[in-house]
Amino acid sequence: MEAAQKERLAALMAEVKVAILVTHGEQWPTATMQAFAETPEFDLLFIMNDASEKFQNLLKHPQVSAYLDAREKGKVETFEISRVLVQGLAIEIARDSAEWEAAKEIFLTKCPFEAPFFKYPTLRMMRIKPSRLSYSGADRFAFKAEF
C-alpha cells in the first residue's frame, strides 16, 4: 500500500469503534457487530466468549471478513461513506501470554468500555491478519490491497 492509502485506512479504523464480523458456520455465514481495535499493521483485534457461535466458527473456519464504515458521518443518500472490507485469517491469541497483554492494552485503549469482559476466564481474543482489503472513501477515493 502507498502512504496515502495507509493514512486513509488508519484514519477510518481509528474513527470507527465497531465492525461487522462475518464468520463461516456449518450451514450459514454468521454476522455480528463487534467492538474492535487495530494494530499499526492493520491487524484487527476482537474479543468474544469461547462458547459463542462466532468463536466456534473461527476455530473451524479461520477465514473471516470484517466490514467497517463511518456511515454516521457520511451521506447515505449519495453513498458518500468511508468504508472498508477486510478479509483475512483469524488466529487466537493465547491468554496470559505477552502477546495477549500487548493486544489487551491496544484493545482497551480504543474500547475502554469493554474492560469488564476481561475478568471472565471464558474470554478469548482473536487477531485477524488481513490477506486483502477493499477501501472506498466518502470522497470516492478507492483502492484494493493484498498482503
Side-chain angles (χ1 to χ4, degrees):
M1 275 191 298
E2 298 171 6
Q5 294 170 331
K6 287 181 180 180
E7 286 176 22
R8 286 173 176 263
L9 182 58
L12 176 60
M13 287 186 172
E15 175 183 348
V16 177
K17 299 264 192 272
V18 296
I20 304 299
L21 182 66
V22 183
T23 62
H24 186 274
E26 292 304 315
Q27 185 174 5
W28 307 103
T30 299
T32 56
M33 186 179 295
Q34 296 276 138
F36 78 96
E38 69 283 353
T39 70
E41 301 79 28
F42 303 116
D43 290 359
L44 302 178
L45 303 172
F46 292 93
I47 61 171
M48 56 198 69
N49 187 289
D50 64 3
S52 68
E53 182 179 7
K54 61 189 159 265
F55 180 73
Q56 295 303 315
N57 287 348
L58 290 172
L59 292 179
K60 295 175 189 165
H61 308 284
Q63 299 81 6
V64 63
S65 295
Y67 174 80
L68 52 126
D69 67 52
R71 72 185 83 173
E72 66 281 351
K73 291 190 176 183
K75 292 171 83 178
V76 174
E77 313 78 43
T78 55
F79 226 71
E80 295 172 56
I81 302 167
S82 293
R83 58 203 181 273
V84 67
L85 175 68
V86 177
Q87 296 173 311
L89 291 176
I91 302 161
E92 184 176 4
I93 298 173
R95 194 173 176 93
D96 300 324
S97 66
E99 183 183 8
W100 172 279
E101 292 305 319
K104 177 182 175 183
E105 183 176 336
I106 291 168
F107 191 86
L108 290 177
T109 297
K110 180 170 185 169
C111 304
F113 52 89
E114 296 280 356
F117 293 105
F118 280 87
K119 69 181 177 187
Y120 297 110
T122 57
L123 184 75
R124 299 294 180 260
M125 191 176 332
M126 300 298 279
R127 175 186 298 270
I128 310 302
K129 296 198 102 20
S131 298
R132 61 189 204 165
L133 62 83
S134 178
Y135 173 94
S136 186
D139 60 357
R140 308 292 190 219
F141 179 86
F143 65 91
K144 293 183 180 189
E146 301 228 2
F147 298 87

